[in-house]
Amino acid sequence: MMIVIAGSARVRADRLDAALEAASRMAEASRDEPGCVDYRFSIDIEDPNTVRIFEHWESSESLERHFAAPHFLAFSELLGDVLDGQPEFSRYEVADVRPLFG
């Protein structure tokens, strides 16, 4: 069963640059992990201080390994310094994936 994580976090305006730099490093390191299909951060076009995340993992086991990775732990520590409120994340367990059209 594939795992998809989707969420958002509001970042303090004065810490946005630091957050985006850390997010870029986090995404790159995460995409190099075994079992990571995709890992992306993006800016919400309606609120430039809101960062969205999309993760796609091959399995629960690969996601659990990710949570123990040094880059994940370091990134988690930074969040308290840059976030403006609580982030919101959802986990989806996906049994089947196919193109939306065609």
Side-chain angles (χ1 to χ4, degrees):
M1 177 148 329
M2 295 172 283
I3 306 297
V4 171
I5 306 295
S8 64
R10 191 145 188 1
V11 178
R12 293 181 14 211
D14 64 322
R15 298 295 288 147
L16 185 60
D17 289 341
L20 295 178
E21 183 179 315
S24 179
R25 289 191 308 269
M26 173 67 168
E28 185 176 342
S30 297
R31 286 191 299 266
D32 287 340
E33 290 182 57
C36 182
V37 178
D38 199 7
Y39 200 104
R40 303 286 170 178
F41 290 95
S42 60
I43 299 293
D44 188 309
I45 63 171
E46 295 177 358
D47 179 359
N49 291 328
T50 295
V51 177
R52 303 234 174 240
I53 188 168
F54 175 85
E55 305 175 32
H56 181 179
W57 297 91
E58 289 179 352
S59 66
S60 290
E61 294 78 20
S62 57
L63 179 60
E64 291 303 318
R65 283 191 304 272
H66 169 67
F67 290 151
H71 58 272
F72 177 85
L73 299 173
F75 185 74
S76 296
E77 285 185 31
L78 169 80
L79 293 180
D81 184 47
V82 300
L83 292 185
D84 183 14
Q86 285 293 108
E88 296 180 15
F89 300 103
S90 296
R91 173 186 171 135
Y92 302 89
E93 297 182 359
V94 181
D96 184 39
V97 177
R98 60 183 168 270
L100 180 60
F101 302 106

